[in-house]
Structure formats: C-alpha cells, structure tokens
Amino acid sequence: MSESTELAGRRFPVPEHVAAQANVGPDAHERAAQDRLGFWAEAADRLTWAQRWDEVLDWSNPPFAKWFVGGKLNVAYNCVDRHVEAGHGEQVAYHWEGEPGDTRTLTYAQLKDEVSRAANALVELGVQAGDRVAIYLPMIPEAVISMLACARIGAVHMVVFGGFSADALASRLEDSGAVLVITSDGGYRRGAPSALKPAVDDAVSRSPGVRNVVVVKRTEQDVEWTEGRDLWWHETVDRQSAEHTPEAFDAEHPLYIMYTSGTTAKPKGILHTSGGYLTQVAYTHWATFDLKADTDVFWTAADVGWVTGHSYIVYGPLANRATSVMYEGTPETPHRGRWFELIQKYGVTILYTAPTVIRTFMKWGEDIPAGFDLSTLRLLGSVGEPINPEAWLWYQEHIGGGRCPIMDTWWQTETGAHMITPLPGVTSLKPGSAQTPFPGISAKVVDDEGNELGDDATGLLVLTEPWPSMLRTIWGDDDRYVDTYWSRFGKEVYFAGDGAKKDADGDIWLLGRVDDVMNVSGHRISTTEVESSLVAHPTVAEAAVVGASDPTTGQGIVAFVILRGNAEDSGDDLVQTLRNHVAKDIGPIAKPRQIMVVQELPKTRSGKIMRRLLRDVAENRELGDVTTLTDDSVMNLIKDKLPASA
Ligand code: 6R9
C-alpha cells in the first residue's frame, strides 16, 4: 500500500467530548433522507421571516429553482437586528485586527448602527433595491458593513477581491452594471500600505454606469479625487441616522453576485438569492462547525472577497450570532507566528482555512505553532482543494493539538454553502476525504454517461437534487448557466466539474477539477493523487502536477515541487529519487515524466494553484490569462528554470 493511501486509510473517531454535545447528531442524515424538503424547511425556520413561504421548492422549470416561494425576509435583519432585539447587543460580532496590529471590536449593537448608517447613505445616493453595488475593499469592517447595508436595502452586492487588477474590476463593473463602488485609499499587506483607489479610478473611467465612488480612509495615502463622483465614507456615512427600518424582500430577491476565480477564460457572475442562501449557510455553519453562539470564537481565515468569506465570515456566522475574528493581513506579517498569536489572543475555538496555508505552515516548521497557546481550539475546518493526508495530520497534530476533529468541506462558489463534509457529531474522520453529502444534499459519482457508480469507483461528481443555496443563474446569461452546469447529464443534474471517487465504505474523495484528471496511457490518474504522494516525501513541501500532452501516452505527468526549508536540491539525483518515490508509492504508471524544482507556485487569490498556467509551461505554450494570479513574476521564475527544449 502506498504511503499516502496508508495514511488515508486511517480512521479518526470524533472525540467523545465533541460528539456528546454536538449540535447535529446521527439522525439528521436519516431525517433529511426521508423528507428532504421538510428538513430544509426546518432549517429555514431557524431564520426570522416577515412572511412565511407557501411552498418550499418550485422546481417546475429546471434548472431554474425557487426556494421558499412566497416567503419574505430581510437578510441584514436576520444577521444583526434580531440578535440585538433578543438582548445580545453587547455580544462581540467581530474582533477585527489590522495587519499593523490596530484593532476594532464591533458588538452586534454597534454593527446594527453602522449598517443602518451605511444603508441610509446608500439610499441618499439613490441606490435602489435591485441595483448592483461593487465593493472593492481590504479586509476591514467596512467590507462587512457595506455588504449588509446592501442586503438591508435590497441592493445586490458584487465584492471584488482587493488584490484584483483594474482590468478585472472594470470587466466586473461592466458585466454586473454596477452603479456605485465602495473602496478605500488602500489596505495593509505584507507590512506596507498598498493602494486601491488608483485601480478604481482606472476601472471607473471605463464604466459610465458608475455614478459614485465611496472611499474609506484606511491608510491615509494620497488619492486622486474626482469632484462630484467621489465621496469619503466618513463624510457620507458617519453623519447618517443610526435608525433604518429594514424592508422585507422576496426569498428569491438577488443578494449578491460573485465572479468565480479565473480558472476559465471569461469570469462567470454567480448569482445568489436571499432566503435559500441564508438558510443553508446558517444551517451548515451551525452543524458543520458545531457552533455554540455563547462560547465559541470562530475564525474563517480567508478573504471576504471570495465565497468562503461571504458564507462563513459574514452571512453564516452572523445569522447564528457567532463571535468572529477578522484579520486584515497575510500570515507572515510581521512574523510567521501571526495567526497563532491571534488564536492565542482571542481564544479562537474554531479555525477554518485552506490546505495551501497548512502546507505553508508545514514548510515553516512546527516550532512556530508550538510557541503559542492554541489550547482553546476545539474544531478545525478545511476548504478550497483536497487536503492531502499529510497536511491533514499535520494540521490535526501541530495546530489542533491532536484533540480537534477536522471538517474537510467540499463546496463551490456555485453551491453557496457546504455540500460534502463530515459532521462532528456523526462521522469517523478519514484524512483526505470530504466523506459524506451533507444532510439534504444528493451527491453522486457517475461515469461519462451519467450512470451512477457503485462503491470503489472513480468518476464525476454530480448533484442530483436542487439545494437551497444553489446558484440561480449566471448573471445576465441564463444560457451559459444551463450549458455550463445542467446540460452534460440533463437539466436536473448539476455537473460540478470535479472528479470524485467513492471508496469501499461509500465515502467520497474529491480528485480535483476534471480537467485536472490526467489520462496517461488510458489510465485515469488524479493530479491530487500524485501531488499527495510527492508531498509525502520528506524533502517536498508543496507540489503541483499537470497532465501535459504527450505523443505516445496521451498525457505525461509533469510535476512542479517546492522543497522544504531544510531539504537540499541535489539536482538530477533528487528528481530521480522523487520520480521513483511516486512510482513506488502509486505505481509505475504514475511516475512523473518530468519534475521541476521551483521556488513558488502560481496561485489565484483564493489560494488555488493555477494548473492551467503550469500546463502552458509544461507544453511550452504562450502563457494564457494571468489576471487572477497573485504575483505574475512567479511565472517568469518558473520559465527561467526550464530547459530550452521543454
Ligand atoms: C469554497 C470554494 C470550488 C472548487 C471545487 C473543488 C475545490 C473546494 C474542496 C475542494 C476538494 C474540498 N474544492 N473545497 N476540493 N476538497 N474540501 O473553494 O469555492 O473557489 O468556487 O472553488 O474548489 O475543485 O470545485 P471555489
């Protein structure tokens, strides 16, 4: 058995003390299986509705779903006001920490006032229900306040990650038809103020539909100013009344548009609506993380600019009256223990982050987390890509102190909320597997023709029933919505684009995007499997694998590896060792054709490795679109490493 398979075969029962008091027990899956719509209706009942729905689901015109038909609610009221009305106004909603170490504490009562002021300002600026508002901010409280202010007045927010370029912003402003942009002079990243306003000026000069730009002062950098268009947040919002009466909107009223990360050519504006979305993010946040509103300190260490931030920094935690930590900066500023320092300082009990960060911490070494008191942690989460068993075990041992179960949550921008994940009161954990569909979710693994596969088989992941937080369409492009997600296996089957395997117990293993499943001499090999094997070798910190076209085998396996700090690059010897390691670990068929030792890997801002670019390098092509890359100089470094003939 291979090293990583051996690790992956291990089972970790959820600790007794976690299971005993978990919010959701083993009966949830069963109840949902018997009455799926009844189960989701109960989940929706955790929210406060201004008017109850008549019908849980209208699926008469698939794939266009309507959930909680006829129901009305205000999303911001559910996230803020109702907790204040219930006497929890003094509870902290966010412990916010800036990268330089400045802090801000926002209670639910303060958040209500801030959101109401911002809502009044938007109304004063002529923003109406249904209008699109772009939010291009660093990780500061105004990002959350702006999102909730939009939700409160029924405007549709469109958050663009602050690291995106002016071009990326401009195309999103145009596609969404935004009328207003909320931004700041800049934010702090890696120890220095970085500017945002110049990108907005550039993008807005090409977007005639944008009437106003509201600017939060964060760094005090000088900014260009367009009179009549630009307004300071502190002059426009702070003078508003803290009273604002929320209006109830239809359950299907649009809540936000989120453009998916650029692993495809033209970004897709994923549309989420109100009632179903809030139902599922709130319920999953409560169930998957076993959230106890009175005692937990919850931290999703991600950016609000991607879906994980929307669902699990903002909407889920607030709907559940959680106390959250929000951090502006990067993990290594001003030092590599920054995250652990924050866990210690705020007594974080639940941490949710991405495997790529865990592997970075592995690279930096276990001495760093060992220098902090992480004993408050009781549960960990993972999201964004398959977590290789080595990273899972390291996370469990060196951050979770061996006592914290890890919830490996599979979901997508399109799904809005967790879809496949273990549950703390239910599941014996298997490192590397997201395991079981969430209660009320129907996930299957099918072959190319759409036939469901039995256990112990590899195929494509599909979702065979609609779910409350599903995307409703691609903004302005219903046809593309149908074509992309609902045509491969018919109009009632959602094609997720991920490869998956069911093991002998029926647990689901995600194998990466299907375009990342390689086909070598007719054998299907997952990039993830080879990456996992490479990372299991003591010299390798991180690995990215692509299938490059090969005249004889169809595809050849090309690996890019980053070595651990203490490993020596012995050139050809090391490459041979690693190739043989994979061949031994998985089988000769998986032996990489080529391995390149590199310093960095190209990643999207949400931390996903851009295999498309690596494939371009491996196949010696001109580089494609790099606008979503965090740092495009990485690609030059990688290309410089290539032999001229590669
Ligand atoms: C939430 C988020 C979605 C894609 C998805 C899949 C990958 C996410 C995963 C995972 C394996 C997990 N993915 N979570 N793969 N295990 N726990 O990441 O949304 O940015 O839209 O990405 O990410 O490939 O299809 P998004």
Side-chain angles (χ1 to χ4, degrees):
M1 206 191 306
S2 79
E3 257 173 75
S4 44
T5 337
E6 202 174 306
L7 285 175
R10 279 173 65 185
R11 279 260 183 189
F12 291 80
V14 170
E16 195 63 36
H17 66 275
V18 179
Q21 47 81 65
N23 289 342
V24 170
D27 54 321
H29 284 100
E30 208 174 300
R31 211 172 65 240
Q34 276 159 8
D35 178 11
R36 190 171 57 88
L37 297 183
F39 169 83
W40 284 122
E42 275 168 41
D45 268 330
R46 299 179 67 253
L47 304 179
T48 304
W49 296 78
Q51 186 178 309
R52 210 184 150 76
W53 59 88
D54 310 311
E55 194 187 356
V56 177
L57 169 67
D58 175 358
W59 190 232
S60 58
N61 179 30
F64 298 94
K66 293 194 182 111
W67 281 87
F68 306 111
V69 184
K72 285 188 193 298
L73 81 173
N74 185 287
V75 169
Y77 173 85
N78 271 277
C79 289
V80 185
D81 303 45
R82 64 173 180 150
H83 307 315
V84 178
E85 287 170 12
H88 300 288
E90 296 312 305
Q91 182 177 333
V92 174
Y94 292 102
H95 293 290
W96 175 82
E97 178 122 354
E99 195 186 75
D102 51 333
T103 62
R104 227 174 122 184
T105 309
L106 273 177
T107 63
Y108 275 93
Q110 288 166 334
L111 187 59
K112 175 171 176 280
D113 290 352
E114 296 288 338
V115 171
S116 298
R117 286 196 185 95
N120 284 324
L122 291 178
V123 171
E124 185 181 288
L125 293 171
V127 178
Q128 296 180 356
D131 285 350
R132 275 79 61 207
V133 172
I135 299 174
Y136 184 66
L137 282 170
M139 279 284 286
I140 55 177
E142 284 80 1
V144 179
I145 293 164
S146 300
M147 289 165 73
L148 292 168
C150 289
R152 198 171 180 95
I153 65 166
V156 184
H157 60 71
M158 193 274 289
V159 179
V160 179
F161 176 70
F164 274 130
S165 65
D167 283 351
L169 177 61
S171 70
R172 285 157 175 76
L173 291 176
E174 194 203 309
D175 191 76
S176 66
V179 299
L180 184 114
V181 180
I182 303 176
T183 188
S184 70
D185 47 1
Y188 290 94
R189 267 197 105 65
R190 292 181 211 285
S194 76
L196 279 181
K197 181 73 167 39
V200 175
D201 290 335
D202 178 348
V204 170
S205 71
R206 295 178 257 162
S207 313
V210 175
R211 297 191 303 256
N212 290 107
V213 176
V214 178
V215 188
V216 178
K217 195 171 259 188
R218 164 76 185 126
T219 58
E220 311 270 341
Q221 285 160 291
D222 286 338
V223 290
E224 299 268 327
W225 206 254
T226 303
E227 280 310 327
R229 185 197 71 184
D230 296 353
L231 302 156
W232 285 112
W233 173 285
H234 60 269
E235 289 174 6
T236 314
V237 176
D238 292 358
R239 64 180 163 75
Q240 303 287 335
S241 157
E243 297 300 320
H244 177 272
T245 309
E247 184 188 334
F249 294 98
D250 194 272
E252 283 297 335
H253 188 79
L255 179 63
Y256 71 82
I257 302 167
M258 161 115 275
Y259 286 84
T260 50
S261 58
T263 35
T264 55
K266 183 181 184 264
K268 297 172 282 204
I270 303 302
L271 179 71
H272 283 291
T273 60
S274 304
Y277 174 78
L278 195 64
T279 294
Q280 193 173 334
V281 295
Y283 187 80
T284 51
H285 176 256
W286 179 77
T288 307
F289 299 125
D290 187 37
L291 192 276
K292 311 286 193 225
D294 293 328
T295 48
D296 274 319
V297 178
F298 178 80
W299 185 17
T300 290
D303 197 283
V304 286
W306 61 303
V307 74
T308 299
H310 279 49
S311 298
Y312 299 106
I313 295 176
V314 184
Y315 291 112
L318 292 177
N320 288 327
R321 185 177 45 89
T323 294
S324 288
V325 167
M326 183 173 170
Y327 172 53
E328 178 186 30
T330 49
E332 68 266 54
T333 310
H335 57 81
R336 289 175 167 185
R338 185 73 163 117
W339 277 25
F340 309 116
E341 185 178 76
L342 291 172
I343 293 170
Q344 175 177 295
K345 175 172 176 187
Y346 294 107
V348 172
T349 58
I350 304 168
L351 175 68
Y352 188 35
T353 189
T356 182
V357 181
I358 305 303
R359 289 194 298 264
T360 303
F361 288 148
M362 284 173 81
K363 190 165 70 179
W364 293 345
E366 63 228 39
D367 293 353
I368 298 176
F372 296 87
D373 178 4
L374 308 181
S375 63
T376 50
L377 286 172
R378 68 178 190 91
L379 196 137
L380 304 171
S382 175
V383 59
E385 52 177 317
I387 180 164
N388 49 297
E390 292 71 24
W392 195 102
L393 288 168
W394 194 93
Y395 192 19
Q396 203 219 22
E397 189 178 336
H398 297 291
I399 297 183
R403 66 182 182 276
C404 305
I406 299 175
M407 300 302 126
D408 176 3
T409 60
W410 179 88
W411 59 295
Q412 308 175 300
T413 304
E414 292 88 340
T415 71
H418 299 163
M419 300 294 284
I420 304 177
T421 177
L423 289 180
V426 181
T427 323
S428 243
L429 304 172
K430 279 185 193 171
S433 169
Q435 299 192 271
T436 40
F438 194 86
I441 298 300
S442 303
K444 296 198 167 117
V445 179
V446 299
D447 66 15
D448 284 339
E449 274 75 55
N451 306 307
E452 186 174 1
L453 297 171
D455 292 346
D456 228 349
T458 298
L460 303 171
L461 182 74
V462 295
L463 304 167
T464 54
E465 296 288 353
W467 62 99
S469 64
M470 64 193 273
L471 76 167
R472 296 304 194 262
T473 189
I474 292 175
W475 182 257
D477 201 343
D478 286 350
D479 290 343
R480 192 172 176 203
Y481 167 66
V482 177
D483 287 351
T484 310
Y485 304 107
W486 305 91
S487 56
R488 185 147 178 178
F489 304 115
K491 281 199 168 145
E492 296 193 40
V493 177
Y494 174 88
F495 172 54
D498 277 36
K501 165 177 97 182
K502 264 194 182 178
D503 67 17
D505 303 322
D507 281 317
I508 299 175
W509 296 71
L510 280 310
L511 301 175
R513 304 293 303 178
V514 274
D515 37 11
D516 297 332
V517 176
M518 301 172 290
N519 193 323
V520 183
S521 308
H523 297 272
R524 209 181 247 185
I525 298 165
S526 139
T527 52
T528 313
E529 231 176 321
V530 180
E531 286 165 6
S532 229
S533 170
L534 285 165
V535 177
H537 193 271
T539 58
V540 177
E542 185 150 20
V545 167
V546 296
S549 57
D550 186 291
T552 36
T553 58
Q555 284 188 313
I557 302 174
V558 179
F560 298 79
V561 298
I562 300 177
L563 299 183
R564 290 199 187 204
N566 55 359
E568 209 201 309
D569 183 358
S570 56
D572 280 354
D573 282 352
L574 176 70
V575 167
Q576 282 315 326
T577 307
L578 292 177
R579 291 181 69 224
N580 292 334
H581 164 78
V582 177
K584 188 164 155 280
D585 201 19
I586 303 175
I589 187 70
K591 185 174 188 168
R593 183 182 81 186
Q594 200 178 351
I595 294 183
M596 282 176 252
V597 178
V598 295
Q599 297 299 320
E600 297 279 352
L601 290 168
K603 287 184 185 154
T604 65
R605 326 235 170 206
S606 64
K608 289 190 209 325
I609 293 168
M610 292 189 79
R611 291 195 177 71
R612 181 170 53 81
L613 292 183
L614 293 174
R615 245 189 326 265
D616 287 348
V617 172
E619 299 182 352
N620 205 16
R621 260 197 310 275
E622 276 291 294
L623 287 189
D625 180 12
V626 293
T627 55
T628 58
L629 199 56
T630 33
D631 174 8
D632 55 18
S633 61
V634 167
M635 290 315 295
N636 294 329
L637 284 175
I638 291 178
K639 280 195 299 178
D640 288 348
K641 293 280 293 188
L642 285 180
S645 62

